[in-house]
Amino acid sequence: PDGQYLRVTRMMKPFSYIVPMGNFGTVEEIWDLDGNVLHEIQKRELRTGLSNQGGGGGGRGGAGGAQAVVAAMTSARSPGVPTGRG
């Protein structure tokens, strides 16, 4: 209330092309006016929208998350549908 502190939300790596920007990891912090972190309020990891149950790699994004998405897309393909590969 006195303007001496800032509540800052930062995006965290890893960034991803397979999820919307709103699903990127974030960290909420309290900073002083010199930019020093005084307290971490909340930290959220990259949310891929995939369940951590039943296999798939990683579960926290990165290469494991991407592999899980490819595996889910591959397993969802019907066996009689052509893939477009020669």
Side-chain angles (χ1 to χ4, degrees):
D2 60 3
Q4 296 202 15
Y5 303 102
L6 304 169
R7 182 174 180 166
V8 176
T9 302
R10 297 184 299 119
M11 281 189 210
M12 299 183 334
K13 291 181 179 181
F15 302 122
S16 172
Y17 288 104
I18 62 172
V19 298
M21 186 176 76
N23 287 9
F24 291 173
T26 58
V27 61
E28 294 183 51
E29 300 166 327
I30 300 294
W31 290 11
D32 64 14
L33 295 179
D34 292 325
N36 300 313
V37 177
L38 303 177
H39 182 72
E40 184 177 292
I41 299 171
Q42 181 180 22
K43 188 174 191 177
R44 292 187 306 198
E45 300 293 329
L46 174 71
R47 295 175 303 281
T48 60
L50 298 174
S51 172
N52 287 338
Q53 300 172 0
R60 291 184 174 240
Q67 290 171 354
V69 169
V70 171
M73 290 170 53
T74 303
S75 65
R77 184 180 298 136
S78 298
V81 177
T83 62
R85 296 182 194 154

